[in-house]
Amino acid sequence: MAFIIGILIMIAGICYAVYVLKKSKTKAQEIQFQQTTCIKDVLDIVGDLSSLDENYRHYSEVKGHLHSVSGDVEAPFSQRPVAYYENEVFSVHEETRTERDDEGNTRTITDKVESSLSSEKSPVEVYLSDSSSDEKVYIDMASFGSDVDLMPGCNRMESSDSNWVRDNFNFSFSNPRGSRFLGYRFFEEILPEDQPMYILGEIHKRGNRLYVGRSVTTKKPSHVTYKSEDELLDDIKNEKFIALAIAIGSVIAGIAVMFLFS
């Protein structure tokens, strides 16, 4: 049994590493070799081809400055002027439990536990602009999922009797049995107004508007980031390193399981 478990641990780690390495390689190649397209050129290409196929989507690398449609968005937790934000509120409490070992000795363990109370994404549309055209490219942020890089905006703890919490929020939270309520954690990530952006995705028309969203027809990598291409490539290198470390660790763990429990 231990032999089988050890093998499964090794296979799982190696498969994960292969998946990450393959995905990272494809993404790095697209970033390095895809030519940046200005909004004017994309507008011409998509406009011409959309007249032949209304569902046409053009895979592009575009750069520009980020704006909200209203131009007056404020991040709720940090109170900073932004183009886009995402936030989440957690209740934080300590859970205490008692464990007994094989010899009958007991020990008390205390863990800090967080539970999500609410989450929100900026409801105001955002768009990309550049100097080549007055046309806006609206960004379908939701379609990119986790492939969006955001900047730190707020990460603060507040006690249950905090005036700031009382004045700004209305939470109802019941303490689980055996726990002690510590307070709330307010987590927020942002993208500032007029932030330079880099986007990989498919540009398409919806009515009279130009949108960029996740690649769905070509299945190529998609990404929205405030980082430069070099910074994004460095992130990909780190992902490869972590994947290799996990693969090596899984092999070592698998061998240990086979020999220690056989």
Side-chain angles (χ1 to χ4, degrees):
M1 187 65 177
F3 178 81
I4 295 175
I5 293 174
I7 291 294
L8 290 175
I9 291 172
M10 288 189 283
I11 291 174
I14 292 171
C15 288
Y16 171 78
V18 169
Y19 168 77
V20 172
L21 291 173
K22 183 178 179 180
K23 182 179 178 182
S24 297
K25 180 181 178 181
T26 302
K27 193 169 191 176
Q29 288 176 338
E30 290 295 344
I31 293 170
Q32 288 173 317
F33 299 117
Q34 189 75 27
Q35 294 295 314
T36 302
T37 308
C38 67
I39 292 176
K40 182 181 180 302
D41 290 343
V42 171
L43 182 62
D44 292 340
I45 295 170
V46 175
D48 290 343
L49 294 175
S50 292
S51 63
L52 302 175
D53 178 6
E54 62 179 14
N55 296 315
Y56 176 74
R57 299 170 69 95
H58 184 69
Y59 185 72
S60 299
E61 171 187 279
V62 289
K63 298 177 182 179
H65 287 254
L66 185 70
H67 305 278
S68 67
V69 172
S70 66
D72 60 355
V73 176
E74 182 180 271
F77 299 165
S78 60
Q79 280 86 48
R80 293 173 58 179
V82 298
Y84 181 82
Y85 66 83
E86 294 184 8
N87 62 41
E88 191 163 7
V89 184
F90 301 89
S91 64
V92 185
H93 58 273
E94 284 184 347
E95 279 189 358
T96 302
R97 68 182 191 278
T98 301
E99 288 188 352
R100 187 184 300 272
D101 62 22
D102 295 336
E103 298 177 356
N105 300 313
T106 60
R107 62 171 182 164
T108 301
I109 299 174
T110 301
D111 297 319
K112 183 182 287 187
V113 179
E114 294 188 350
S115 302
S116 179
L117 291 179
S118 67
S119 61
E120 181 187 23
K121 294 184 179 181
S122 177
V124 180
E125 281 191 293
V126 292
Y127 65 89
L128 202 68
S129 68
D130 69 16
S131 59
S132 71
S133 172
D134 292 332
E135 186 75 17
K136 301 177 178 67
V137 177
Y138 292 85
I139 306 171
D140 185 356
M141 297 290 281
S143 72
F144 286 94
S146 61
D147 291 317
V148 178
D149 294 328
L150 303 174
M151 298 177 180
C154 176
N155 191 3
R156 62 190 287 178
M157 273 289 298
E158 293 287 338
S159 64
S160 57
D161 58 353
S162 162
N163 290 331
W164 184 75
V165 173
R166 189 181 302 110
D167 293 341
N168 293 281
F169 305 97
N170 180 26
F171 293 129
S172 177
F173 174 71
S174 58
N175 235 24
R177 179 178 294 181
S179 69
R180 182 171 70 91
F181 183 58
L182 300 178
Y184 303 98
R185 183 167 74 90
F186 295 82
F187 180 73
E188 182 179 80
E189 293 180 304
I190 62 171
L191 288 172
E193 183 73 22
D194 204 35
Q195 172 66 38
M197 299 293 293
Y198 171 90
I199 301 179
L200 268 178
E202 287 182 345
I203 298 181
H204 53 284
K205 294 201 78 172
R206 296 185 200 166
N208 295 322
R209 283 184 170 187
L210 208 58
Y211 278 85
V212 59
R214 173 178 289 279
S215 171
V216 293
T217 57
T218 60
K219 303 297 183 183
K220 290 186 176 182
S222 305
H223 208 96
V224 176
T225 184
Y226 61 89
K227 300 176 182 179
S228 68
E229 290 185 49
D230 289 339
E231 289 173 319
L232 197 53
L233 289 171
D234 286 340
D235 287 347
I236 293 172
K237 288 180 183 178
N238 291 334
E239 289 175 2
K240 291 179 180 179
F241 177 79
I242 293 171
L244 287 171
I246 290 174
I248 294 170
S250 67
V251 170
I252 294 172
I255 293 173
V257 168
M258 287 189 288
F259 280 93
L260 292 176
F261 299 99
S262 60

